[in-house]
Amino acid sequence: MLTQARMDATGNTTALGWLNPTLYQIGADDIASGTGRTGRHAFNDVTDGVNTYCGDAAGFRAATGWDPVSGWGTLNYGKMKPVFEEL
């Protein structure tokens, strides 16, 4: 959907390719500045919960920002779309 939105907005038909570096940069920018270059939080931060399925009773806890339970959180398509339309 993000690729199609980008094509519709810019006419750029080049595939987005490997998105991990782009997604991590967007997440890091959002956390570092409070809103990041996107001017909005492009991820829904998951801050509550614990993963105890790793053989350790303590597991990994969700926290503000990046954490091993949910990464940056879940994508917020409505806020992510304008970012990809500019790529």
Side-chain angles (χ1 to χ4, degrees), residues 2-83:
L2 291 171
T3 300
Q4 186 64 52
R6 181 170 153 253
M7 282 193 255
D8 292 346
T10 66
N12 186 341
T13 59
T14 305
L16 289 172
W18 181 244
L19 291 180
N20 277 7
T22 303
L23 294 175
Y24 271 83
Q25 186 61 56
I26 292 167
D29 287 350
D30 279 354
I31 296 302
S33 68
T35 58
R37 71 183 173 94
T38 65
R40 61 195 70 82
H41 289 286
F43 293 91
N44 302 310
D45 195 6
V46 177
T47 59
D48 186 38
V50 64
N51 174 353
T52 58
Y53 297 106
C54 57
D56 181 356
F60 297 102
R61 296 204 167 276
T64 300
W66 188 92
D67 58 68
V69 176
S70 67
W72 289 116
T74 61
L75 291 175
N76 184 320
Y77 177 78
K79 294 179 179 179
M80 189 71 73
K81 180 182 172 191
V83 176

